[in-house]
């Protein structure tokens, strides 16, 4: 049937997929990497405020440079993944993470610390495309589920990493960066030990080696442009939860806002992990446009709940539940579609180009802040409408499985 989902790609369950050795290794590394990354990142601004006399805007620019360099640099990182080999680039990325974290644990001179922080984006641009390419190749027809597992590792890392980072930072900055360095070194050790099995997964062609600007081909693919554009809109909306929404809580709850947000974020992290099972079931039973509609509706309902909550816990929690439905459906969707529509030999390039979606994280807080300055109703009303901006792109016939 034209509007049904290609269920063969969902044939393997989570348990069966984890029985695959390379998949299990890559999922474990994704989890450890996420914990190490989120143990360090939330505390960079605090560390720079303690270490330097930089104004908040400059501190924000340096901490934000990690995501910016990682997103734009992934165009190069993805191309390098396809040309040199995903296993090599993955080890190089983990090695760079380890060296940079260890250096940050040892050095306190601002003139050295600031470039080291920017260089973290270089490690991000290597690890992201290579890890996703290997996961896609290792899972094969189970690729949809492996990217749901990757999203679960990100959710777990976002929940556990800051707890580890807070405990380490209370000891010293050396402990903060040292803990991340140990975790990144563990990832490097694991992938180096299994380098032959990972290398066997990779697919390279002579054409890939000859073509210098193969990422341009990704941007010329109409289906991929639809995925990328929808992803930028989704990340623009998604960025609100950890940026402008916290400002709203501060206005409503005052000094109790940090504690309230921590509780809401913890509930969100747990739900984001658990929701991947029903999200996988939904994907088997619903066509892509219907899934996208449910996801967009989840974000919109969350904004409406928060906008009418006046800081009340019941509506705030209801909004978090609806928000996590939208997140669980929409955030992994770009990886799932990219896995399906891209040739194996160029998956690194396409996954690298897909990292441009994180530009939405840069523009989202700016848009949200400007709307909130106008009024709370303007902010929540406009963002509820913007939540559906990606839906017309995701319902395009070109993205449906039967069109592939």
């Amino acid at each position: 049937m034209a509007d049904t989902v290609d269920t063969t790609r969902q044939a393997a369950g989570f348990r069966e997929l984890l029985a695959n050795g390379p998949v299990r290794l890559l999922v474990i590394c994704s989890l450890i990497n996420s914990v190490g990354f989120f143990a360090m990142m939330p505390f960079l601004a605090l560390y720079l405020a303690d270490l330097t006399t930089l104004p908040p805007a400059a501190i924000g620019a340096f901490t934000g440079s990690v995501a910016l360099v990682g997103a734009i640099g992934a165009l190069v990182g993805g191309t390098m993944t396809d040309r040199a080999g995903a296993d090599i680039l993955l080890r190089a990325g983990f090695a760079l993470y380890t060296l940079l974290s260890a250096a940050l644990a040892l050095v306190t001179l601002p003139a050295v610390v600031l470039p080291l922080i920017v260089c973290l984006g270089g490690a991000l641009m290597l690890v992201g495309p290579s890890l996703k390419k290997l996961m896609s190749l290792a899972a094969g027809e189970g690729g949809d589920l492996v990217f749901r597992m990757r999203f679960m590792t990100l959710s777990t890392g976002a929940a556990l990493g800051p707890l580890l980072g807070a405990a380490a930072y209370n000891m010293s900055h050396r402990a903060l960066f040292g803990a991340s360095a140990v975790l990144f070194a563990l990832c490097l050790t694991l992938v180096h030990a299994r380098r032959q099995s990972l290398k066997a997964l990779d697919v390279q062609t002579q054409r890939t080696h000859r073509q210098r600007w193969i990422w341009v081909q990704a941007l010329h693919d109409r289906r991929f442009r639809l995925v990328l554009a929808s992803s930028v809109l989704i990340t623009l909306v998604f960025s609100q939860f950890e940026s402008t929404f916290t400002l709203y809580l501060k206005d409503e709850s005052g000094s109790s806002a940090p504690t309230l947000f921590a509780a809401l974020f913890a509930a969100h992290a747990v739900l984001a992990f658990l929701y991947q099972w029903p999200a996988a079931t939904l994907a088997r039973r619903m066509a892509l446009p219907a899934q996208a509609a449910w996801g967009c509706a989840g974000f919109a309902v969350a904004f409406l709940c928060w906008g009418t909550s006046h800081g009340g816990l019941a509506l705030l929690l209801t909004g978090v539940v609806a928000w996590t439905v939208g997140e669980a459906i929409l955030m992994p969707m770009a990886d799932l579609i990219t896995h399906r529509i891209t040739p194996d030999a160029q998956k690194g390039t396409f996954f690298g180009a897909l990292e441009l979606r994180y530009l939405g994280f840069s523009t989202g807080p700016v848009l949200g802040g400007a709307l909130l300055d106008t009024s709370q109703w303007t902010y929540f009303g406009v963002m509820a409408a913007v939540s559906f901006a990606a839906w017309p792109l995701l319902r395009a016939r070109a993205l449906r499985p039967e069109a592939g």
Side-chain angles (χ1 to χ4, degrees):
M1 294 177 62
D3 289 334
T4 58
V5 175
D6 182 2
T7 57
T8 60
R9 296 186 180 276
Q10 302 269 4
F14 287 101
R15 183 177 301 177
E16 291 80 5
L17 201 52
L18 283 174
N20 179 318
V23 168
R24 185 169 59 250
L25 169 69
L26 294 168
V27 169
I28 290 172
C29 285
S30 179
L31 175 59
I32 297 172
N33 177 64
S34 296
V35 174
F37 185 80
F38 286 109
M40 182 171 50
M41 285 303 298
F43 300 95
L44 287 182
L46 181 61
Y47 174 58
L48 289 180
D50 291 339
L51 183 69
T52 72
T53 58
L54 290 173
I59 290 175
F62 275 104
T63 56
S65 69
V66 177
L68 184 63
V69 172
I72 297 176
L75 285 171
V76 177
T79 301
M80 292 170 62
T81 294
D82 288 332
R83 290 170 63 89
D87 65 301
I88 295 174
L89 267 293
L90 184 59
R91 280 181 281 153
F94 284 141
L96 185 56
Y97 264 143
T98 304
L99 292 174
L100 292 172
S101 301
L104 286 167
L106 297 173
V107 179
T108 58
L109 186 64
V112 178
V113 168
L114 293 174
L116 288 174
I117 289 176
V118 175
C119 288
L120 287 171
L124 185 62
M125 83 179 212
L126 297 178
V127 170
S130 56
L131 181 60
K132 286 198 279 189
K133 178 178 183 177
L134 288 170
M135 292 181 102
S136 177
L137 295 173
E141 293 298 312
D144 287 14
L145 286 183
V146 84
F147 285 110
R148 295 196 183 281
M149 284 191 279
R150 180 180 178 274
F151 186 76
M152 291 162 73
T153 66
L154 292 175
S155 298
T156 304
L160 297 181
L163 296 178
L164 173 63
Y169 196 79
N170 285 333
M171 297 171 59
S172 71
H173 79 273
R174 293 179 187 272
L176 171 69
F177 296 114
S180 292
V182 169
L183 292 174
F184 294 137
L186 177 57
C187 288
L188 176 60
T189 301
L190 291 173
V191 297
H192 182 73
R194 297 290 301 276
R195 61 190 181 280
Q196 294 302 324
S197 61
L198 295 179
K199 184 177 181 179
L201 294 173
D202 207 352
V203 178
Q204 300 178 56
T205 65
Q206 289 301 314
R207 181 167 176 258
T208 301
H209 283 288
R210 289 195 306 267
Q211 194 168 343
R212 295 184 60 186
W213 303 102
I214 59 175
W215 59 267
V216 175
Q217 180 177 336
L219 299 180
H220 282 171
D221 187 305
R222 177 174 178 267
R223 294 178 301 172
F224 182 74
R225 290 200 307 271
L226 288 170
V227 174
L228 180 58
S230 66
S231 296
V232 171
L233 293 170
I234 289 169
T235 56
L236 183 150
V237 173
F238 182 71
S239 68
Q240 302 304 311
F241 185 60
E242 296 179 42
S243 58
T244 312
F245 176 62
T246 62
L247 299 178
Y248 164 73
L249 284 182
K250 183 179 180 181
D251 290 340
E252 293 291 336
S253 304
S255 61
S256 63
T259 302
L260 180 58
F261 180 72
L264 294 174
F265 189 83
H268 156 261
V270 173
L271 289 173
F273 182 90
L274 296 176
Y275 274 14
Q276 289 307 310
W277 277 275
T281 301
L282 184 72
R284 287 195 293 268
R285 298 179 179 179
M286 279 190 180
L288 181 64
Q291 295 176 56
W294 274 96
C296 294
F299 282 153
V301 169
F303 282 118
L304 295 178
C305 287
W306 294 336
T308 57
S309 69
H310 302 293
L313 185 59
L315 278 175
L316 288 175
L317 281 173
T318 302
V320 167
V321 172
W323 181 268
T324 314
V325 170
E327 177 187 359
I329 295 172
L330 293 178
M331 289 303 286
M333 188 170 283
D335 287 332
L336 308 186
I337 300 174
T338 301
H339 160 77
R340 174 168 56 82
I341 68 174
T342 55
D344 286 350
Q346 297 175 19
K347 286 187 183 294
T349 298
F350 277 82
F351 279 123
L354 186 59
E355 297 302 290
L356 288 172
R357 62 182 159 171
Y358 289 107
L359 295 176
F361 280 114
S362 300
T363 56
V366 176
L367 174 62
L371 291 171
L372 189 61
D373 280 341
T374 303
S375 74
Q376 290 183 359
W377 274 110
T378 300
Y379 169 66
F380 287 111
V382 171
M383 291 312 305
V386 173
S387 297
F388 286 95
W391 184 65
L393 302 176
L394 291 172
R395 70 187 299 269
R397 184 171 295 277
L399 294 183
R400 300 181 191 181
E402 70 274 9

